[in-house]
Amino acid sequence: MIAGKQTVDDALFVETAEGPALLGSRCTDCAAYTFPRQGGCPRCTGSSMREVPLSRTGTLWSWTVQGFRPKTPYTGTEAYEPYGVAYVELPGQLIVEARLVQTDPQQLEIGMPVELTLTPFRDDESGRPVHTFAFVGVAA
Amino acid sequence: MSEVAIVGIGMHRFGRADGVSGRAQAVHAAREALRDSGLRFSDMQFGFGGSHSAGDADTLVSELGLTGLPFINVANGCATGGSALIAADAAIRSGQHDVGIVIGFDKHARGAFNTDPAEHGIGAWYGETGLMVTTQFFGMKIQRYLHDHDLGPGVLATIAEKSFRNGARNPMAWRRKEIDAAEIAAAPMISDPLTQYMYCSPGEGAVALVLCRADRAHTYTRHPVFLQGAAFRSRRYGSFEVFSPWLATDRADSPTVEASAAAFAAAGIAPSEVDVAQIQDTESGAELMHMAETGLCAHGEQEELITSGATAIEGRLPVNTDGGCIANGEPIGASGLRQVYENVLQLRGDAGEHQVPGDPRVGFTHVYGAPGISACTVLTR
């Protein structure tokens, strides 16, 4: 449970004072970030990575809208609902791929400020919502 | 060191071949390539080949002949064919072997590719939440590219229109019906800004090539094509590739930039000398980006080249003259070798209705695959 919600994989998240954040890793040698956490540094090829909460805010780096219900291994709701997909730049850290709450292309623009949120994407066997991470546009 | 020549080409028509296995298509292509070179399978000293979904290439020997030759399976995603060719090039160039065969084939189910995240070292959450979809990556990559280079999305439909026009002139293509740009632009949106007709589909097909030491080429064929340069690269830190849950904020060139530069350097030929090019067009945005990443033009120059007709068969830089992946579909294992097959036809002057005019002399191929690998060749007659 993260922020009182069931998630697709609790290991992706960490609770912070500002709310749930993505849990990444940072190289103690060259300061490169990764998401999710990993043991080896993709930049300097070292292996001293430390866990670190990632920024909860960033800007939209690129986006698209998923136009059909994907096949397996997708497990989202049976009734297809279009969802936005983005790469979000977390300044000074990395660019993370995530779902977007907005799905209307008219509402999406590269460079717009966005904030992390948890969004339900399917129900579990007892009908309770399972959440994943997403970004939502916010006022600049 | 021996130079390398292509002396035989064979293909099983791309598209859907109900009731014909991928392996049977591969055997057909291999026999065609052997016949084209005037050689028998017993003359082959090595084989490299691969398929993503239709079986192990080395087992084709049960049909082609149990001769004891070393036959290595290659599996490099959409760059499987290009990788097999590079391995064959090295086997001959090093002096290890004089003549051998490469075979690429596939047979995929209908609909978009789906992949298990675990095969890519990614957690199950990535697939479960709907992020492991290749069509999304292409949408986001071209969205960012259009933004960075101030290009309009309209050109994407013009590219696909050309692909279908070229495919209509190619008897081996899957899609042989012209579709105009307005209809392509109005088709259902798959992943903004790319519509259904801008994407290629998984399909079926097979291609085989017989290669030999260049100094022996004329004993097998009157029209050898020489493999002047062949290079392969994987992604670097900072490049933007498919199946990436995150990217670095530092930007680096894609593997295509380095593979292409290395192939041209090995050939001693400049991109400006290319007479006909086959480049990876999983969707029309890929053709746009790869035109610049391969060095065939500058970033931002593509829109003018495409809308002016420069990349058409009769233009000064013909691109994807057989209709590319968009008209041929993508049998993963065969796709990169289809490009070489097409260039050999073009350089021999045997491409019929889709022949580039003016006696082309230099051909270029580029194949790109997940999760960020690229293989390029430079061919001359």
Side-chain angles (χ1 to χ4, degrees):
Chain A
M1 298 279 274
I2 299 291
K5 291 169 172 168
Q6 203 177 183
T7 78
V8 64
D9 187 345
D10 285 354
L12 300 173
F13 303 96
V14 60
E15 303 274 13
T16 73
E18 290 76 39
L22 297 174
L23 182 58
S25 54
R26 180 174 181 270
C27 176
T28 58
D29 294 331
C30 81
Y33 286 79
T34 74
F35 174 77
R37 295 166 288 163
Q38 64 182 58
C41 176
R43 181 159 69 188
C44 74
T45 74
S47 57
S48 61
M49 305 294 284
R50 184 168 295 170
E51 288 183 8
V52 58
L54 298 176
S55 170
R56 301 184 66 260
T57 58
T59 57
L60 196 58
W61 191 78
S62 193
W63 61 272
T64 190
V65 176
Q66 175 62 29
F68 59 91
R69 188 182 189 279
K71 296 196 287 194
T72 320
Y74 180 59
T75 57
T77 49
E78 238 4 90
Y80 171 69
E81 292 167 29
Y83 54 91
V85 184
Y87 276 101
V88 171
E89 179 158 8
L90 307 178
Q93 297 183 340
L94 49 68
I95 299 169
V96 66
E97 188 179 9
R99 285 172 70 135
L100 266 178
V101 171
Q102 280 94 346
T103 57
D104 176 4
Q106 302 304 322
Q107 295 178 355
L108 298 167
E109 191 180 354
I110 288 176
M112 69 187 259
V114 292
E115 184 178 33
L116 187 76
T117 185
L118 293 178
T119 189
F121 77 105
R122 71 165 136 96
D123 293 338
D124 69 8
E125 301 77 20
S126 358
R128 286 170 308 190
V130 179
H131 295 75
T132 187
F133 57 97
F135 283 85
V136 59
V138 291
Chain B
M1 284 227 312
S2 302
E3 302 295 306
V4 179
I6 299 169
V7 294
I9 59 173
M11 184 173 188
H12 185 283
R13 188 171 180 272
F14 278 33
R16 293 266 171 232
D18 291 339
V20 184
S21 70
R23 296 166 46 80
Q25 295 177 48
V27 168
H28 173 84
R31 292 209 184 286
E32 289 290 305
L34 290 165
R35 188 177 55 77
D36 187 44
S37 66
L39 289 160
R40 294 170 63 92
F41 191 68
S42 52
D43 297 316
M44 298 298 106
Q45 296 169 0
F46 70 87
F48 290 103
S51 148
H52 187 72
S53 309
D56 291 340
D58 72 291
T59 64
L60 297 170
V61 296
S62 62
E63 177 75 16
L64 291 168
L66 299 171
T67 64
L69 87 172
F71 198 122
I72 296 177
N73 292 304
V74 180
N76 261 8
C78 306
T80 291
S83 307
L85 185 59
I86 278 157
D89 178 72
I92 294 171
R93 208 168 285 271
S94 67
Q96 189 178 16
H97 295 299
D98 297 330
V99 58
I101 191 165
V102 299
I103 308 174
F105 61 106
D106 245 312
K107 187 177 181 83
H108 303 295
R110 288 165 205 274
F113 291 115
N114 58 335
T115 307
D116 179 359
E119 286 180 18
H120 289 260
I122 306 175
W125 61 271
Y126 191 63
E128 287 182 32
T129 59
L131 298 181
M132 195 153 191
V133 184
T134 53
T135 45
Q136 292 169 1
F137 158 76
F138 292 116
M140 287 192 285
K141 186 153 189 185
I142 191 61
Q143 194 87 278
R144 181 74 198 185
Y145 190 87
L146 295 174
H147 172 267
D148 284 349
H149 298 284
D150 198 22
L151 297 166
V155 69
L156 300 171
T158 311
I159 291 169
E161 180 184 56
K162 171 180 67 69
S163 306
F164 290 116
R165 187 168 64 239
N166 293 355
R169 292 159 68 169
N170 173 14
M172 298 299 266
W174 181 8
R175 315 278 189 205
R176 301 208 56 215
K177 182 168 158 279
E178 294 196 28
I179 306 178
D180 69 40
E183 189 180 343
I184 292 164
M189 189 65 78
I190 299 294
S191 264
D192 213 286
L194 298 166
T195 70
Q196 182 180 351
Y197 292 152
M198 296 176 190
Y199 281 99
C200 79
S201 306
E204 302 178 25
V207 178
L209 308 172
V210 174
L211 292 91
C212 76
R213 290 170 51 146
D215 58 3
R216 303 209 180 155
H218 283 281
T219 63
Y220 306 126
T221 180
R222 284 181 296 105
H223 41 223
V225 166
F226 298 97
L227 188 54
Q228 301 288 3
F232 179 92
R233 291 288 187 277
S234 70
R235 66 199 193 278
R236 281 191 188 274
Y237 182 78
S239 65
F240 179 14
E241 314 301 338
V242 67
F243 302 147
S244 297
W246 65 278
L247 307 171
T249 52
D250 314 7
R251 293 268 59 78
D253 284 337
S254 91
T256 292
V257 174
E258 289 184 64
S260 173
F264 280 117
I269 286 172
S272 59
E273 294 177 78
V274 169
D275 296 316
V276 56
Q278 318 299 332
I279 62 182
Q280 181 84 10
D281 62 330
T282 316
E283 35 73 40
S284 54
E287 177 168 321
L288 182 90
M289 291 182 279
H290 291 149
M291 280 172 62
E293 290 183 357
T294 54
L296 295 173
C297 71
H299 289 286
E301 217 176 48
Q302 300 99 318
E303 196 165 5
E304 205 278 324
L305 286 170
I306 291 155
T307 53
S308 71
T311 58
I313 286 171
E314 290 78 14
R316 72 172 170 81
L317 178 60
V319 171
N320 291 334
T321 48
D322 64 354
C325 291
I326 291 177
N328 286 282
E330 192 176 26
I332 286 179
S335 205
L337 298 181
R338 171 186 54 74
Q339 300 176 328
V340 177
Y341 178 97
E342 169 67 7
N343 272 354
V344 171
L345 281 188
Q346 292 287 350
L347 298 180
R348 287 177 177 180
D350 283 348
E353 259 195 90
H354 57 112
Q355 177 67 46
V356 166
D359 213 13
R361 190 185 67 84
V362 178
F364 174 79
T365 72
H366 157 259
V367 63
Y368 170 89
I373 47 185
S374 184
C376 297
T377 72
V378 177
L379 302 158
T380 63
R381 62 179 161 76

